[in-house]
Amino acid sequence: MQPFEMPEIDVLEEIEDKIVETDLYSLVVFNDEINTFDWVIDTLMEVCSHTPEQAEQCTIIIHYKGKCKVKNGSWEELVPLRQEICRRGISAEVL
């Protein structure tokens, strides 16, 4: 009978100098009484590259909860998306 042996594990060297910290923001879309479900779904698919299922789920959350975080990312990434969503008549903010 052999004693239990621990497998060898390679340990990665610290790479702190290569870590880049970025602030994470959320693109939030708000409910309104003007835009249709289909318009919001199409917008999320075109602007945020959502799948049809993702866009539909976000739209349902927006409708029932009043808002939904539809995408996370850097400020620089999300601001142009917000501008395009707002250009289409949908209320959105980067928070």
Side-chain angles (χ1 to χ4, degrees), residues 21-25 73-75:
E21 289 188 30
T22 58
D23 291 327
L24 188 64
Y25 292 90
S74 68
W75 181 265

Side-chain angles (χ1 to χ4, degrees), residues 29 35-45 55 59 62 90:
V29 174
N35 294 292
T36 65
F37 274 73
D38 288 338
W39 179 246
V40 176
I41 289 168
D42 290 344
T43 296
L44 293 176
M45 289 189 310
T59 303
I62 292 165
I90 301 169

Side-chain angles (χ1 to χ4, degrees), residues 51-69:
T51 65
E53 294 81 11
Q54 285 175 303
E56 184 177 354
Q57 289 174 353
C58 286
T59 303
I60 291 169
I61 292 170
I62 292 165
H63 178 73
Y64 286 107
K65 299 283 187 176
K67 63 183 176 181
C68 180
K69 293 179 183 179

